[in-house]
Amino acid sequence: MDNHPASWAPRRNLVVVAWGLTTLLLVGTVLDATFGDGKGAVLTGLATLAVGAFAVHWTLVRPRLAADDDGLRARTLNGTHRLPWTGTTVRLRSTRRLGRDGVTLELEHGDQLFIFGQTDLGEDPRDVLDVLTELRTRSTGA
């Protein structure tokens, strides 16, 4: 168990690329507004906002999921949510859309539901589930 991470977050290189792309789009927006047409500036401005929102989100919610002997911590823009092992359900959900399979990790505790994909975790959700199952077994003895 010692060789597995106890926390998961979006890959650092993905966050850096998102910030770089946001910067390039912002420069493009300014140049388009100054020398181009207004419609192009609006479109590049919207793209800047969209990519920038992802960059901000991925920067602020690090780590996205963490686990220890006491339970789980899920981080969102609203703060960190503690989920004790007791009463928390951890499962995988597989979906198929547009010919592609998608796997997400779902954490449910009471009326709270947290869904993490591979981008959120920086790793395959199946691998994260394996680590969480092992940690849970070790900490609860069940």
Side-chain angles (χ1 to χ4, degrees):
M1 180 69 201
D2 295 332
N3 60 349
H4 292 293
S7 64
W8 297 269
R11 293 185 188 267
R12 197 171 304 280
N13 59 353
L14 180 64
V15 178
V16 170
V17 167
W19 279 113
L21 189 56
T22 300
T23 303
L24 288 174
L25 284 167
L26 182 60
V27 169
T29 302
V30 170
L31 289 174
D32 208 10
T34 305
F35 301 111
D37 63 341
K39 294 175 187 172
V42 169
L43 289 176
T44 56
L46 290 173
T48 303
L49 289 175
V51 175
F54 280 111
V56 167
H57 182 262
W58 291 336
T59 300
L60 294 178
V61 295
R62 298 184 73 82
R64 193 78 167 93
L65 177 65
D68 57 22
D69 290 338
D70 297 329
L72 303 162
R73 289 183 311 281
R75 190 143 183 213
T76 66
L77 289 175
N78 292 331
T80 302
H81 304 270
R82 298 250 341 123
L83 307 169
W85 289 118
T86 308
T88 300
T89 304
V90 181
R91 65 180 168 263
L92 288 177
R93 173 130 359 223
S94 297
T95 58
R96 184 165 179 86
R97 289 195 180 110
L98 301 173
R100 298 198 63 197
D101 291 328
V103 178
T104 56
L105 179 72
E106 293 184 356
L107 307 177
E108 188 174 3
H109 184 82
D111 62 348
Q112 295 178 314
L113 175 65
F114 300 94
I115 301 172
F116 302 100
Q118 186 165 349
T119 304
D120 293 315
L121 301 170
E123 214 175 299
D124 190 323
R126 291 174 277 242
D127 297 335
V128 175
L129 179 65
D130 292 342
V131 173
L132 293 178
T133 302
E134 189 175 329
L135 231 178
R136 182 181 208 155
T137 302
R138 188 179 75 184
S139 65
T140 60

